[in-house]
Amino acid sequence: MTYRADLLRTHLKVLIYIQNHLDEELSLEKLASIAHFSEFHFHRIFTASTGESIKSYVRRLRLERATSDLIFTDLPIIQIAERAGYDTQQSFHRAFKEI
């Protein structure tokens, strides 16, 4: 197995972990430990391969899930906002508009 293939496998493992744990705190420390890299090295590799920081990536996934929840569920907006990591409906609305 080449270094590049190992790196791809590790990256996919982290992406799947993020997707399956969106309701949890996803710290750089935790994700770097899953990848078995230092935090600095992992953040650099993640940003280079996805084109966005870990924080932006997680935020985008949570907002994409919130979009689906708004369309396909009858959940109250405040509950969807809280699930996406926002304390208020106003901050959720602002973040949603930015995206």
Side-chain angles (χ1 to χ4, degrees):
M1 182 90 35
T2 65
Y3 175 75
R4 187 177 180 136
D6 284 342
L7 193 58
L8 179 61
R9 176 177 282 134
T10 299
H11 187 68
L12 289 174
K13 180 180 174 183
V14 172
L15 293 178
I16 291 168
Y17 182 87
I18 291 170
Q19 187 71 41
N20 290 331
H21 295 87
L22 280 176
D23 290 329
E24 300 171 19
E25 182 181 336
L26 295 166
S27 68
L28 174 60
E29 179 182 8
K30 174 69 176 171
L31 298 175
S33 73
I34 291 168
H36 304 289
F37 289 125
S38 71
E39 293 175 26
F40 173 78
H41 188 63
F42 174 70
H43 190 269
R44 191 172 55 80
I45 290 171
F46 187 93
T47 302
S49 62
T50 62
E52 52 190 329
S53 70
I54 296 165
K55 184 176 180 178
S56 295
Y57 180 81
V58 170
R59 180 175 178 235
R60 183 176 56 77
L61 287 183
R62 287 177 176 158
L63 286 172
E64 286 175 1
R65 182 180 64 183
T67 302
S68 293
D69 288 347
L70 288 168
I71 294 169
F72 298 113
T73 72
D74 293 328
L75 293 172
I77 292 175
I78 190 64
Q79 189 175 353
I80 294 171
E82 288 171 352
R83 186 170 180 228
Y86 295 90
D87 295 330
T88 66
Q89 190 171 334
Q90 291 79 14
S91 61
F92 174 67
H93 179 73
R94 250 189 324 272
F96 205 81
K97 272 180 69 172
E98 283 180 24
I99 297 294

